[in-house]
Amino acid sequence: MGDRERDRAEFSAFVQRRQHRLLRAAYLIVGDERLAEDLLQNALIKLADRWSRVRDGNPEAYLRTILYRDAVSWWRRHRRERLVAAPPEPPADADPADRVTLQLLFARALAALTPKQRAVLALRYFEDRSEREAAEILGVSVGTVKSQTNAALRRIVELSPDLAEAVGHA
C-alpha cells in the first residue's frame, strides 16, 4: 500500500470513528442540522487536504478548531439573530423535574441564542474547554467568552425560568 492509499485509509478510519460526535458538536455550534452537516463537511475537506501534516499530532483538535473558526467566519458574514415574540411556555401539566421536559425547554432556549453564544456554551460545557481554550478556538478574548457565557445563561433563564437551577442561576 502506497503513502496516498495509507493516508486515505487512515483518514477514512478517523472520520468513521468520530463522525457522530463531530456532527453533534457542529449542530450545537450552529443550531441547524443542515448547516451543521455543511460545516462539518467543509472542515473535513480542509482536514483531508492537510492530513499528512496533522495526522501524527492531534487531528481531532485541529478539526474542531476549523469547525469553530469557520462557524465564527460565517456568523461574521451573516450576523443575524433569530428573535422570538415570546419566551416558550412549558406545558402546564408538565413535571419540571422530568428530564425530557427539561431537554425540550433547553433546546428551545438554545435555539433563541445567538450563534456565538451557542458556540461558547458548546465549547465550555459540551467540550469542557477552559475560557482560555474557548477564546483561542473562537479567535476572541477571554473577556468575550466570559461575557457571552454569562449573557447566554441569563438568556436561557429569561426564556425558560424552569431551567434556572439546571444552568446554575437559581
Side-chain angles (χ1 to χ4, degrees), residues 148-163:
Q148 290 293 308
T149 301
N150 192 27
L153 294 176
R154 263 196 337 266
R155 180 81 173 130
I156 286 172
V157 171
E158 288 171 8
L159 292 171
S160 188
D162 291 338
L163 293 172

Side-chain angles (χ1 to χ4, degrees), residues 5-161:
E5 291 84 18
R6 186 172 45 250
D7 282 353
R8 235 182 240 146
E10 287 176 2
F11 180 75
S12 292
F14 170 83
V15 172
Q16 286 177 352
R17 284 191 309 270
R18 293 171 176 83
Q19 68 183 352
H20 296 292
R21 182 164 174 80
L22 292 168
L23 183 57
R24 187 171 47 228
Y27 178 79
L28 288 171
I29 296 167
V30 296
D32 178 90
E33 188 175 338
R34 295 203 193 297
L35 286 176
E37 290 169 352
D38 290 345
L39 178 66
L40 180 57
Q41 182 174 357
N42 289 334
L44 288 170
I45 290 168
K46 290 178 181 180
L47 178 63
D49 289 342
R50 295 166 185 87
W51 182 253
S52 62
R53 288 176 274 169
V54 299
R55 73 169 176 232
D56 294 329
N58 190 346
E60 186 167 351
Y62 186 81
L63 179 64
R64 287 180 184 278
T65 298
I66 293 170
L67 281 174
Y68 287 104
R69 289 192 176 164
D70 283 0
V72 168
S73 294
W74 186 87
W75 299 327
R76 286 180 178 152
R77 284 191 307 271
H78 295 90
R79 293 221 189 244
R80 292 185 192 142
E81 293 184 25
R82 286 183 285 173
L83 301 177
V84 294
E89 292 293 326
D93 60 335
D95 178 9
D98 181 22
R99 182 181 173 112
V100 174
T101 301
L102 288 177
Q103 287 175 339
L104 291 172
L105 291 172
F106 193 66
R108 286 184 196 144
L110 279 176
L113 298 178
T114 67
K116 187 177 272 187
Q117 289 172 338
R118 280 195 308 273
V120 168
L121 291 182
L123 282 167
R124 294 284 291 128
Y125 300 106
F126 177 70
E127 295 206 13
D128 200 26
R129 302 289 182 140
S130 70
E131 291 168 339
R132 183 187 54 74
E133 290 171 323
E136 287 174 8
I137 290 170
L138 293 173
V140 298
S141 71
V142 171
T144 298
V145 170
K146 289 179 180 181
S147 66
Q148 290 293 308
T149 301
N150 192 27
L153 294 176
R154 263 196 337 266
R155 180 81 173 130
I156 286 172
V157 171
E158 288 171 8
L159 292 171
S160 188

